[in-house]
Amino acid sequence: MKKLVVLFIAGIVVGYFYGFADAKSHRDNVVRRVVATVGGSNRSKLSNDVDAKVEAAERGRN
């Protein structure tokens, strides 16, 4: 149990210092940059254009 607590505290300390150094060098936070990177590369796969989907389905039936 003590080992788990020590590892947990060590993880918090490392994360704090990593976040502090990252905040000095970047304007946006880590989560926002990762979401922009991952979402940007996959955005074309998740189209929400309902009209285009309906037209594509109609063309497939004919």
Side-chain angles (χ1 to χ4, degrees):
M1 184 68 179
K2 289 181 183 179
K3 191 177 193 179
L4 182 66
V5 172
V6 170
L7 287 174
F8 185 67
I9 291 172
I12 289 173
V13 169
V14 169
Y16 178 80
F17 284 110
Y18 172 77
F20 188 75
D22 187 67
K24 284 174 137 177
S25 60
H26 296 96
R27 185 170 179 91
D28 291 334
N29 64 17
V30 175
V31 175
R32 184 174 287 180
R33 290 193 317 261
V34 169
V35 168
T37 302
V38 173
S41 63
N42 292 324
R43 195 163 287 142
S44 63
K45 296 177 186 176
L46 301 172
S47 175
N48 288 332
D49 189 5
V50 177
D51 292 331
K53 289 180 181 181
V54 170
E55 289 175 4
E58 288 175 351
R59 278 182 275 158
R61 292 182 193 168
N62 295 333

